[in-house]
mmCIF file of all heavy atoms in Angstrom:
data_model
loop_
_atom_site.group_PDB
_atom_site.id
_atom_site.type_symbol
_atom_site.label_atom_id
_atom_site.label_comp_id
_atom_site.label_asym_id
_atom_site.label_seq_id
_atom_site.Cartn_x
_atom_site.Cartn_y
_atom_site.Cartn_z
ATOM 1 N N LEU I 349 -15.898 12.889 -3.335
ATOM 2 C CA LEU I 349 -16.642 13.949 -3.970
ATOM 3 C C LEU I 349 -17.535 14.532 -2.867
ATOM 4 O O LEU I 349 -18.317 13.784 -2.216
ATOM 5 C CB LEU I 349 -17.604 13.364 -5.066
ATOM 6 C CG LEU I 349 -18.597 14.352 -5.652
ATOM 7 C CD1 LEU I 349 -17.940 15.472 -6.398
ATOM 8 C CD2 LEU I 349 -19.582 13.607 -6.609
ATOM 9 N N VAL I 350 -17.394 15.867 -2.713
ATOM 10 C CA VAL I 350 -18.228 16.546 -1.788
ATOM 11 C C VAL I 350 -18.700 17.878 -2.473
ATOM 12 O O VAL I 350 -17.914 18.660 -2.924
ATOM 13 C CB VAL I 350 -17.468 16.928 -0.440
ATOM 14 C CG1 VAL I 350 -18.394 17.674 0.529
ATOM 15 C CG2 VAL I 350 -16.797 15.747 0.179
ATOM 16 N N VAL I 351 -20.022 18.021 -2.530
ATOM 17 C CA VAL I 351 -20.617 19.298 -3.003
ATOM 18 C C VAL I 351 -21.684 19.836 -2.045
ATOM 19 O O VAL I 351 -22.462 19.051 -1.481
ATOM 20 C CB VAL I 351 -21.230 19.035 -4.345
ATOM 21 C CG1 VAL I 351 -22.019 20.240 -4.926
ATOM 22 C CG2 VAL I 351 -20.321 18.454 -5.390
ATOM 23 N N ASN I 352 -21.639 21.110 -1.741
ATOM 24 C CA ASN I 352 -22.531 21.650 -0.789
ATOM 25 C C ASN I 352 -23.964 21.418 -1.222
ATOM 26 O O ASN I 352 -24.332 21.430 -2.431
ATOM 27 C CB ASN I 352 -22.332 23.211 -0.712
ATOM 28 C CG ASN I 352 -21.166 23.568 0.126
ATOM 29 O OD1 ASN I 352 -20.689 22.788 0.967
ATOM 30 N ND2 ASN I 352 -20.657 24.752 -0.046
ATOM 31 N N ASP I 353 -24.823 21.135 -0.299
ATOM 32 C CA ASP I 353 -26.265 20.827 -0.521
ATOM 33 C C ASP I 353 -26.988 21.968 -1.200
ATOM 34 O O ASP I 353 -28.057 21.710 -1.952
ATOM 35 C CB ASP I 353 -26.980 20.471 0.750
ATOM 36 C CG ASP I 353 -26.426 19.138 1.331
ATOM 37 O OD1 ASP I 353 -26.121 18.260 0.538
ATOM 38 O OD2 ASP I 353 -26.607 18.945 2.537
ATOM 39 N N ASN I 354 -26.547 23.215 -1.100
ATOM 40 C CA ASN I 354 -27.258 24.298 -1.620
ATOM 41 C C ASN I 354 -26.944 24.529 -3.124
ATOM 42 O O ASN I 354 -27.534 25.400 -3.786
ATOM 43 C CB ASN I 354 -27.070 25.580 -0.865
ATOM 44 C CG ASN I 354 -25.588 26.068 -0.980
ATOM 45 O OD1 ASN I 354 -24.639 25.290 -1.204
ATOM 46 N ND2 ASN I 354 -25.418 27.343 -0.846
ATOM 47 N N CYS I 355 -26.015 23.790 -3.725
ATOM 48 C CA CYS I 355 -25.737 23.886 -5.164
ATOM 49 C C CYS I 355 -26.907 23.382 -5.999
ATOM 50 O O CYS I 355 -27.569 22.371 -5.607
ATOM 51 C CB CYS I 355 -24.456 23.123 -5.510
ATOM 52 S SG CYS I 355 -22.944 23.886 -4.890
ATOM 53 N N PRO I 356 -27.144 23.965 -7.135
ATOM 54 C CA PRO I 356 -28.257 23.517 -7.984
ATOM 55 C C PRO I 356 -28.011 22.060 -8.441
ATOM 56 O O PRO I 356 -26.952 21.500 -8.539
ATOM 57 C CB PRO I 356 -28.171 24.479 -9.179
ATOM 58 C CG PRO I 356 -27.343 25.635 -8.777
ATOM 59 C CD PRO I 356 -26.440 25.154 -7.734
ATOM 60 N N LYS I 357 -29.165 21.499 -8.855
ATOM 61 C CA LYS I 357 -29.177 20.135 -9.439
ATOM 62 C C LYS I 357 -28.241 20.116 -10.582
ATOM 63 O O LYS I 357 -28.149 21.023 -11.400
ATOM 64 C CB LYS I 357 -30.582 19.731 -9.810
ATOM 65 C CG LYS I 357 -30.795 18.341 -10.331
ATOM 66 C CD LYS I 357 -32.211 18.041 -10.687
ATOM 67 C CE LYS I 357 -32.375 16.646 -11.125
ATOM 68 N NZ LYS I 357 -33.750 16.313 -11.396
ATOM 69 N N ASN I 358 -27.484 19.077 -10.815
ATOM 70 C CA ASN I 358 -26.532 18.822 -11.864
ATOM 71 C C ASN I 358 -25.152 19.443 -11.632
ATOM 72 O O ASN I 358 -24.260 19.325 -12.436
ATOM 73 C CB ASN I 358 -27.076 19.253 -13.267
ATOM 74 C CG ASN I 358 -28.306 18.528 -13.686
ATOM 75 O OD1 ASN I 358 -28.393 17.322 -13.397
ATOM 76 N ND2 ASN I 358 -29.251 19.134 -14.277
ATOM 77 N N SER I 359 -24.974 20.108 -10.481
ATOM 78 C CA SER I 359 -23.677 20.644 -10.193
ATOM 79 C C SER I 359 -22.601 19.594 -10.015
ATOM 80 O O SER I 359 -21.481 19.768 -10.547
ATOM 81 C CB SER I 359 -23.796 21.526 -8.867
ATOM 82 O OG SER I 359 -24.687 22.576 -9.000
ATOM 83 N N ALA I 360 -22.959 18.491 -9.377
ATOM 84 C CA ALA I 360 -21.946 17.451 -9.126
ATOM 85 C C ALA I 360 -21.508 16.753 -10.432
ATOM 86 O O ALA I 360 -20.343 16.555 -10.621
ATOM 87 C CB ALA I 360 -22.554 16.456 -8.103
ATOM 88 N N SER I 361 -22.480 16.476 -11.274
ATOM 89 C CA SER I 361 -22.128 15.780 -12.551
ATOM 90 C C SER I 361 -21.336 16.747 -13.396
ATOM 91 O O SER I 361 -20.286 16.347 -14.109
ATOM 92 C CB SER I 361 -23.335 15.274 -13.282
ATOM 93 O OG SER I 361 -24.236 16.302 -13.487
ATOM 94 N N PHE I 362 -21.656 18.017 -13.422
ATOM 95 C CA PHE I 362 -20.819 19.028 -14.183
ATOM 96 C C PHE I 362 -19.425 19.117 -13.591
ATOM 97 O O PHE I 362 -18.450 19.092 -14.349
ATOM 98 C CB PHE I 362 -21.511 20.334 -14.019
ATOM 99 C CG PHE I 362 -20.640 21.583 -14.506
ATOM 100 C CD1 PHE I 362 -20.612 21.889 -15.846
ATOM 101 C CD2 PHE I 362 -19.909 22.288 -13.653
ATOM 102 C CE1 PHE I 362 -19.864 22.978 -16.336
ATOM 103 C CE2 PHE I 362 -19.105 23.278 -14.103
ATOM 104 C CZ PHE I 362 -19.092 23.673 -15.447
#
Side-chain angles (χ1 to χ4, degrees):
L349 171 66
V350 182
V351 177
N352 282 338
D353 289 335
N354 68 333
C355 287
K357 185 177 181 179
N358 299 324
S359 300
S361 55
F362 170 84

